[in-house]
Amino acid sequence: MSNSSSLIVNVRGLEKRYADGEQQVTVLEDIDLQLEAGALLAIVGSSGSGKSTLLHILGGLDNADAGDIKVAGVTPSALSANAVAKWRNQEIGFIYQFHHLLSEFTAVENVAMPLLIAGWPMAKAQEKAKTLLQRVGLGHRLTHEPARLSGGERQRVAIARALVNDPALVLADEPTGNLDEETAAVIYDLMLDLNQQFGTAFIVVTHDTELAQKLPRQLHLHLGKLEQTAVERP
């Protein structure tokens, strides 16, 4: 059993329901999830299984209806809106299926944005952004806007942006769902490498069991319930 002080995610009894007319629809039911600092986890599930909802709750973008939830040392729902935004900026990185880069800004400007929001001086923020873009193999694309980048390059920029504030945890929601198979494999390998370099914990949700098996631990989310047994390997 892991010591609770070493856990970056410690969730017990998480429940989430939505109203559908007069009916209550249970999206997540009795979720228990523990993740140690620096660990890698894939959560596999089909569309509609509750994967994105779970990530949104872990990242303080949504609140659970029940459960004891601690992420990076805090209970996000207990914080004020301003406090949770500051916590999210400092402790959590997000990677989405669609990169959500700002089209009018260059790669280095997109990556520097979280640092600028945190109050860093422009020159210092851009210098760190450049260093991180070089780490993900985009040192030759610093001044390119997203429209001038390939899909895989855009996702590399998104990964650099997620890591620029040295977060304790990165939440990746179908990060390769919009990429071809070969590029998707490269992105997964990059996340594994960055985990080793920075010691950042990753939770990756995906429907792709083959790619999920690149990560050392896999769980299965089915009809709102998280199965604590690993996805079977072929």
Side-chain angles (χ1 to χ4, degrees), residues 23 39 45 55 119 169 199:
Q23 301 294 319
L55 285 197
L169 174 66

Side-chain angles (χ1 to χ4, degrees), residues 65-196:
D65 293 304
D68 183 14
I69 300 158
K70 285 188 171 54
V71 181
V74 307
T75 298
S77 62
L79 301 178
S80 68
N82 286 340
V84 78
K86 182 177 181 180
W87 166 81
R88 191 185 302 117
N89 177 266
Q90 293 175 342
E91 299 290 351
I92 309 295
F94 288 94
I95 307 168
Y96 297 99
Q97 176 176 350
F98 300 99
H99 49 78
H100 294 304
L101 300 177
L102 300 171
S103 61
E104 66 271 31
F105 293 103
T106 65
V108 72
E109 289 168 341
N110 267 283
V111 174
M113 198 66 66
L115 296 175
L116 296 175
I117 292 170
W120 283 46
M122 176 72 75
K124 187 178 178 183
Q126 291 203 354
E127 188 59 35
K128 185 170 185 184
K130 288 176 185 177
T131 299
L132 201 46
L133 283 166
Q134 289 164 352
R135 286 278 189 95
V136 300
L138 289 179
H140 60 306
R141 292 285 192 265
L142 299 177
T143 60
H144 286 56
E145 292 84 11
R148 299 169 60 202
L149 300 172
S150 70
E153 287 172 337
R154 292 173 193 168
Q155 202 62 317
R156 285 171 179 260
V157 175
I159 291 170
R161 181 183 58 187
L163 289 167
V164 75
N165 261 346
D166 300 316
L169 174 66
V170 169
L171 302 172
D173 192 352
E174 296 282 7
T176 59
N178 204 35
L179 302 174
D180 62 80
E181 184 176 340
E182 183 177 353
T183 305
V186 170
I187 292 297
Y188 262 75
D189 288 340
L190 175 61
M191 289 191 291
L192 287 167
D193 289 343
L194 292 170
N195 165 262
Q196 291 297 311

